[in-house]
Amino acid sequence: MSASANSSTFILRGARPYGGDPVDLVLRDGAVAEAAAAGTASAAGATVVDADGLVALPGLVDLHTHLREPGREDAETVETGTQAAALGGFTAVHAMANTDPVADTAGVVEQVWRLGREAGHCDVAPVGAVTVGLGGERLAELGAMADSAARVRVFSDDGKCVSDAVLMRRALEYVKAFDGVIAQHAQEPRLTEGAQMNEGALSGVLGLRGWPSVAEEAVIARDVLLAQHVGSRLHVCHVSTKGSVEILRLAKERGIDVTAEVTPHHLLLDESLAASYDPVYKVNPPLRGKDDVQALRQAVADGVIDAVATDHAPHAAEDKEGEWANALPGMLGLETALAIAQEALVETGLLDWAGVADRLSTRPARIGRLAGHGRPLRAGEPANVVLVDPAVRRAVDPGALASRSRNTPYAGRTLPGRVVATFLRGRPTVLDGALA
Ligand SMILES: NC(=O)N[C@@H](CC(=O)O)C(=O)O
């Protein structure tokens, strides 16, 4: 690092866009100015970042982040959650609506959006609730949220399923007016009452009530047909089973306008971890079987699953540590997502770095209709960029995370890759692996 930290021109010397040949990426006045031959770019007053060996990707976009504000600021705030996002290489996150109060009005989504702007670590796109109070009974004011300063385009009752088919149909119809999308938490409630982990032989052995795959698959099957029937756009949150992948594949072959996401943890971890009874592994939907993990990885590679989305779900120690049955479901994700993508998708040969950019930036930005994000790294585009060192391997230290919570399932585990720098419209939010 050299020259003044305030300069608005940055030269990322020797960066490898999408893992390709090295270039000098020049960021000026918030935009990518040029990709010059490596070692040649110079500009008066520019800050030069030594990016030798570093992969440059468009800033990551998360479709599924729980920032917990308002209401559970002891678990996370917009400030700490977006710090975690920037450190993970994200330049935009979608903030889920299951806050307290629920983000089901223009007032609440504008509050979250404004807090994101003030924090300045990444863009925050609030998700609006589909139903009032996530109650599953009456549609929330979707249009008012769409028209608000937060310009909401993604609506979800995540944490709860919109299980009433009539309400789901109406919601799908309603959001067509402003090109919105319903992001469904696919979980048939009656089939999952009291569920604690994946239903199978192991849940029987461990004596934990099972969450059967069919509870997810039945809702996805219904919803793709509803989306087709009303000609609307459906997004499926945190797909976790092989059977769900098969339904999504069929739906896409039929031309139904459906997209889907998978979490990093469902691409790496499986249900065998529940045998420890350590509630850090309790999550919704639950960790599944090894064959599900394989099918999910393959579906990301094929593009049947469009996006990797973190489902970053911070929980305070009092809610997460203790008995499995009483612990809240959820795991941290923002600061480890890119590392898991590298391990599960790149190092297995399933995706190259261009593929990672597509699934963690381009497609999620498109699904969320987020202008200015997920754009290619070329001249004239907004300078939302992440630099990652894929050669580093290091153990995850929960105490070093920016998140206010500590519920990472990767504590002590060695993961590949390190986010070295993140730029939001040409301004560094992370430099040398630390908040700028
Ligand atoms: N994904 C999770 O395990 N938890 C989510 C909500 C939910 O989907 O249950 C949370 O908000 O904590």
Side-chain angles (χ1 to χ4, degrees), residues 264-270 293 297 340 343-344 410 413 415:
H265 45 272
H266 288 105
L267 291 173
L268 192 69
L269 309 178
D270 66 65
V293 173
R297 289 183 179 188
I340 309 294
E343 177 162 340
Y410 310 112
R413 186 171 177 138
L415 295 177

Side-chain angles (χ1 to χ4, degrees), residues 64-66 68 96 98-99 157-160 185 187 211 237-238 263 265-266 282-286 310-315 320 328-331 407:
H64 196 140
T65 306
H66 296 277
R68 302 294 189 223
M96 273 297 170
N98 64 339
T99 49
D157 273 3
D158 180 65
K160 296 215 175 126
H185 172 118
Q187 174 178 2
W211 196 134
C237 295
H238 44 50
T263 71
H265 45 272
H266 288 105
K282 180 172 173 177
V283 66
N284 205 12
T310 68
D311 197 5
H312 178 82
H315 286 301
K320 196 61 187 168
L328 294 182
M331 341 180 129
N407 54 308

Side-chain angles (χ1 to χ4, degrees), residues 13-77:
R13 176 93 68 215
R16 298 163 50 216
Y18 307 100
D21 293 334
V23 297
D24 287 354
L25 264 185
V26 182
L27 316 182
R28 184 182 301 126
D29 299 331
V32 177
E34 60 169 326
T40 66
S42 69
T47 301
V48 177
V49 176
D50 176 9
D52 187 32
L54 306 186
V55 172
L57 302 175
L60 309 184
V61 175
D62 194 19
L63 277 169
H64 196 140
T65 306
H66 296 277
L67 291 177
R68 302 294 189 223
E69 190 174 1
R72 284 310 301 261
E73 291 83 354
D74 56 328
E76 197 77 284
T77 62

Side-chain angles (χ1 to χ4, degrees), residues 128-164:
V130 178
T131 69
V132 175
L134 309 180
E137 294 191 342
R138 273 189 304 133
L139 279 191
E141 298 166 8
L142 310 185
M145 290 189 271
D147 290 344
S148 75
R151 297 190 72 258
V152 176
R153 290 295 176 273
V154 181
F155 297 88
S156 182
D157 273 3
D158 180 65
K160 296 215 175 126
C161 182
V162 181
S163 59
D164 181 322

